[in-house]
Amino acid sequence: MINTVVENYRQWRNYRDTVDELARLSNRDLGELGISRGDITEIAREAATAK
């Protein structure tokens, strides 16, 4: 049970960190990476679950 809580927290923290980092980029920088602002949450969700 504790492992599940810790893992869920880790995934949530990775999600938040990714969203925050990508949101700080300018539209130009995101465009150079091939990312639109609307893609940020999906990319963060994928990053949070990747090991």
Side-chain angles (χ1 to χ4, degrees), residues 13-31:
R13 194 67 246 164
N14 285 342
Y15 171 81
R16 287 303 323 154
D17 289 346
T18 303
V19 168
D20 291 346
E21 188 170 338
L22 290 174
R24 282 193 296 267
L25 296 175
S26 69
N27 288 337
R28 182 178 180 181
D29 290 337
L30 288 172

Side-chain angles (χ1 to χ4, degrees), residues 1-39:
M1 166 135 167
I2 290 178
N3 289 338
T4 302
V5 172
V6 170
E7 180 62 21
N8 288 343
Y9 177 77
R10 184 192 67 77
Q11 287 181 353
W12 175 80
R13 194 67 246 164
N14 285 342
Y15 171 81
R16 287 303 323 154
D17 289 346
T18 303
V19 168
D20 291 346
E21 188 170 338
L22 290 174
R24 282 193 296 267
L25 296 175
S26 69
N27 288 337
R28 182 178 180 181
D29 290 337
L30 288 172
E32 289 177 359
L33 296 171
I35 300 171
S36 70
R37 291 232 173 253
D39 296 334

